[in-house]
Amino acid sequence: MRTAICPGSFDPITLGHLNIIVRAAQIFDRVVVCVAANATKTSPMFTVEEKVEMVRRVTAPYPNVTVEVNRGLLAEFARQYEGSVLIKGLRAASDFDYEFQMDLINKRINPDLETMFLTADQRYTFLSSSIVREMARYGGELRGLVPEEIIGMIEAKANTQRG
Ligand code: PNS
């Protein structure tokens, strides 16, 4: 069984992330969405539990997609899925420099681990979790940026953080 691992901070998951996950699920037997608990991002908007809940909700229609939390190195996490491949989305050439560096360090840790890249759907090349967080904080329209099922959760969180 070929497993794709789609890793990320998912703070929160966007339509761009979901598009990559669904496309990977059409190519691979199984997709494990790996929510990084110790991502180096400062002051995340959502707890890991909330991120997982959102990812689970929006991937529920896809039977070969599961969600896991990773608290360590991604390349070590991948070892438990034999022959697995990391899937990364590229929105622009500028994403590639960082992802190339990540691939090299991941291969240093786990030489058998390959990374494959899917280019972002052109509808989502501008989209990132940080754009979504900013829109939410200012009460902007979230439709078209994140799956409908999680808009309420994001708005509620933004409201509590506005105080
Ligand atoms: O959505 P992001 O923030 O671009 O995702 C980055 C992520 C979480 C995939 C990456 O930071 C990660 O896997 N972190 C876990 C720690 C790790 O393995 N780092 C690489 C070696 S230094």
Side-chain angles (χ1 to χ4, degrees), residues 1-125:
M1 179 187 283
R2 266 293 181 202
T3 304
I5 298 175
C6 292
S9 305
F10 302 110
D11 189 40
I13 187 168
T14 69
L15 282 173
H17 292 131
L18 184 59
N19 177 263
I20 296 288
I21 293 165
V22 171
R23 285 160 60 199
Q26 286 163 353
I27 299 168
F28 288 84
D29 300 311
R30 167 173 68 170
V31 171
V32 176
V33 181
C34 174
V35 179
N38 296 334
T40 46
K41 305 287 160 82
T42 50
S43 59
M45 185 170 192
F46 295 94
T47 65
V48 175
E49 292 72 24
E50 290 165 339
K51 293 176 188 179
V52 167
E53 162 66 19
M54 287 187 281
V55 178
R56 287 225 164 98
R57 256 193 223 185
V58 304
T59 58
Y62 308 100
N64 62 337
V65 178
T66 57
V67 187
E68 301 288 341
V69 173
N70 176 33
R71 299 182 189 277
L73 291 169
L74 181 58
E76 299 289 2
F77 173 88
R79 284 188 205 278
Q80 64 191 296
Y81 303 99
E82 207 186 328
S84 60
V85 172
L86 295 180
I87 298 291
K88 297 289 190 86
L90 293 179
R91 290 165 297 188
S94 52
D95 280 348
F96 181 75
D97 290 340
Y98 174 74
E99 294 301 346
F100 188 53
Q101 188 185 14
M102 282 298 119
D103 179 46
L104 293 177
I105 185 65
N106 285 334
K107 279 215 176 64
R108 216 181 137 84
I109 301 163
N110 178 354
D112 296 330
L113 183 60
E114 293 293 352
T115 299
M116 297 173 84
F117 299 100
L118 293 180
T119 48
D121 186 304
Q122 60 177 342
R123 286 171 297 173
Y124 307 126
T125 50

